[in-house]
């Protein structure tokens, strides 16, 4: 029984092959992403593995089920790309990776923060042309400034530890305080107070209906004109059109985006020889104070190894009739 893995990156392939080596039938890795056009490839495969940018809507799920697929093992924590209700009606088992290194994402969020704060990309581009001027490269010390952390789970906590190391004032927003963050000196406030006071706002919450466009036009207007905004969580947390509108007014010291709300079909792919018709993304790319990366915050050897090892365990549990802690569907425990 061969397992089919969609959307496998070149660096990821040997890690998947090693992790899946002991599973029946082994694994075949595909660099194409799962969507309506590629779903038919899965015919005859009981188990498939997908990436976060797979399209798993009702149409795709019906194609998978008709072709004999019984389990979807997603290699990510997020699962907003999967129609879980339809999956359950079709009798599909869906599992995710509920935990991997929070440091990979937290450290990358800080990479974006410091890159936009200290104009690293602009400086590197200049020096490649032997232009060593400092005009336009002035940043700010982070020490003594205020970090607003929205979402203080494992990743938010790791981000907060780094902010504490910089000597920043810490403000947090979450449904419940994290005791570790409180011990570090974090004060939990409402969203309005956090946005108004923070010099740096970093997002670390999942995407769900309640958090979609958590940072919209009103929230962006509430932020300081010279604030830094960083999103390494999910693109849909920010209203991208509203962000463009504020950037056109000359606002924000820097914006670091590792995710984008319409990234499916773009991120993880080489589009360098094509005309990309996403006007909002194209406009974001033109602002000198905006840095967009390709959903790579999680992409360390440590984190990816944890992800593929957990995915392999999820598949093994399914094949051996166990319901593991990472199963999203079915919602009821197996008898």
């Amino acid at each position: 029984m061969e397992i089919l893995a969609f959307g496998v990156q070149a660096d990821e392939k040997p890690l998947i092959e090693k992790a899946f080596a002991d599973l029946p039938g082994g694994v075949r890795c595909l660099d194409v992403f799962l969507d309506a056009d590629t779903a038919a490839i899965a015919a005859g495969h009981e188990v498939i593995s997908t990436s976060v940018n797979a399209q798993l809507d009702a149409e795709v799920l019906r194609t998978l089920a008709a072709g004999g697929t019984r389990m979807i093992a997603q290699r990510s924590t997020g699962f907003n790309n999967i129609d879980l209700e339809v999956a359950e009606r079709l009798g599909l088992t869906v599992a995710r990776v509920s935990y991997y290194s929070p440091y990979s994402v937290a450290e990358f969020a800080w990479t974006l923060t410091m890159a936009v704060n200290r104009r690293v990309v602009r400086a590197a581009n200049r020096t490649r042309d032997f232009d060593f001027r400092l005009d336009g490269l002035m940043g700010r010390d982070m020490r003594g400034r205020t970090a607003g952390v929205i979402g203080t789970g494992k990743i938010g906590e790791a981000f907060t530890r780094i902010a504490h190391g910089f000597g920043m004032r810490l403000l947090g927003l979450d449904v419940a305080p994290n005791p570790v963050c409180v011990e570090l000196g974090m004060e939990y406030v409402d969203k309005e107070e956090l946005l108004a006071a923070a010099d740096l706002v970093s997002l670390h919450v999942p995407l769900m209906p309640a958090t979609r466009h958590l940072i919209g036009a009103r929230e962006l207007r509430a932020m300081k004109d010279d604030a830094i905004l960083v999103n390494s969580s999910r693109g849909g947390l920010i209203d991208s059109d509203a962000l463009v509108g504020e950037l056109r007014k000359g606002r924000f010291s820097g914006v670091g985006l590792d995710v984008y709300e319409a990234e499916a079909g773009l991120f993880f792919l080489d589009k360098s020889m094509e005309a990309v018709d996403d006007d909002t993304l194209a406009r974001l790319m033109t602002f000198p104070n905006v840095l967009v990366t390709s959903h790579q915050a999680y992409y360390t050897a440590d984190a990816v190894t944890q992800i593929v090892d957990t995915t392999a365990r999820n598949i093994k549990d399914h094949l051996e009739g166990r319901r593991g802690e990472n199963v999203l569907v079915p919602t009821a425990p197996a008898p």
Side-chain angles (χ1 to χ4, degrees):
M1 187 206 70
E2 183 183 58
I3 298 159
L4 198 61
F6 285 89
V8 176
Q9 305 296 314
D11 297 331
E12 187 184 18
K13 184 177 179 180
L15 299 177
I16 290 179
E17 291 175 339
K18 179 180 178 181
F20 288 33
D22 295 333
L23 295 174
V27 63
R28 178 157 61 104
C29 295
L30 304 177
D31 59 2
V32 297
F33 292 93
L34 179 62
D35 57 24
D37 294 326
T38 60
I41 300 172
H45 292 83
E46 179 184 341
V47 177
I48 66 166
S49 178
T50 58
S51 66
V52 70
N53 270 0
Q55 176 187 325
L56 287 156
D57 57 18
E59 177 188 358
V60 171
L61 292 171
R62 284 193 290 267
T63 300
L64 294 175
T69 297
R70 294 293 172 263
M71 190 217 184
I72 299 165
Q74 179 136 302
R75 303 187 307 277
S76 71
T77 298
F79 53 89
N80 54 285
N81 61 318
I82 308 173
D83 190 327
L84 296 179
E85 292 183 4
V86 172
E88 186 155 26
R89 287 202 301 270
L90 293 170
L92 295 169
T93 296
V94 179
R96 63 160 177 164
V97 177
S98 58
Y99 175 85
Y100 61 86
S101 167
Y103 309 108
S104 59
V105 179
E107 290 171 7
F108 194 82
W110 269 104
T111 300
L112 290 174
T113 299
M114 297 311 295
V116 296
N117 178 40
R118 302 305 300 268
R119 323 297 189 213
V120 172
V121 175
R122 182 187 295 182
N125 288 338
R126 281 187 186 178
T127 56
R128 284 183 182 276
D129 292 330
F130 292 90
D131 179 353
F132 299 103
R133 293 172 301 156
L134 297 181
D135 295 345
L137 302 183
M138 184 175 288
R140 297 180 293 176
D141 290 359
M142 301 309 291
R143 181 175 180 81
R145 288 191 160 82
T146 299
V149 186
I150 299 181
T152 56
K154 291 182 175 64
I155 296 173
E157 177 187 318
F159 184 91
T160 299
R161 288 182 182 275
I162 299 171
H164 179 262
F166 272 104
M168 301 186 76
R169 177 193 177 202
L170 306 173
L171 297 180
L173 174 66
D174 211 327
V175 293
N178 181 328
V180 174
C181 295
V182 172
E183 187 175 345
L184 291 170
M186 175 170 279
E187 178 187 358
Y188 280 83
V189 297
D190 60 29
K191 183 167 65 172
E192 290 70 22
E193 183 175 348
L194 183 148
L195 294 173
D199 300 292
L200 163 64
V201 175
S202 189
L203 307 181
H204 302 286
V205 297
L207 179 62
M208 56 186 68
T211 60
R212 184 161 198 84
H213 289 179
L214 180 70
I215 304 298
R218 183 172 65 86
E219 288 78 14
L220 291 165
R221 288 194 298 269
M223 293 174 60
K224 292 182 177 181
D225 287 343
D226 61 353
I228 293 172
L229 174 63
V230 172
N231 187 10
S232 57
S233 186
R234 288 291 180 268
L237 298 176
I238 296 177
D239 183 335
S240 303
D241 290 327
L243 177 58
V244 167
E246 293 304 304
L247 288 165
R248 291 180 64 184
K249 299 174 185 175
R251 301 191 64 229
F252 306 130
S253 175
V255 175
L257 304 174
D258 185 52
V259 288
Y260 172 63
E261 61 181 322
E263 68 182 54
L266 290 173
F267 282 24
F268 304 148
L269 299 171
D270 181 2
K271 296 290 186 178
S272 60
M273 300 298 290
E274 302 177 28
V276 175
D277 60 1
D278 189 320
D279 292 339
T280 301
L281 180 59
R283 189 69 181 93
L284 282 170
M285 297 285 202
T286 66
F287 293 105
N289 56 334
V290 174
L291 175 58
V292 178
T293 53
S294 51
H295 204 143
Q296 69 184 82
Y298 77 98
Y299 206 54
T300 67
D302 310 80
V304 174
T305 296
Q306 288 179 296
I307 289 168
V308 299
D309 285 349
T310 300
T311 302
R313 287 197 300 273
N314 291 342
I315 294 171
K316 187 175 182 180
D317 284 344
H318 167 77
L319 296 176
E320 296 179 357
R322 294 189 300 271
R323 177 188 168 87
E325 61 182 6
N326 295 315
V327 172
L328 299 167
V329 168
T331 55

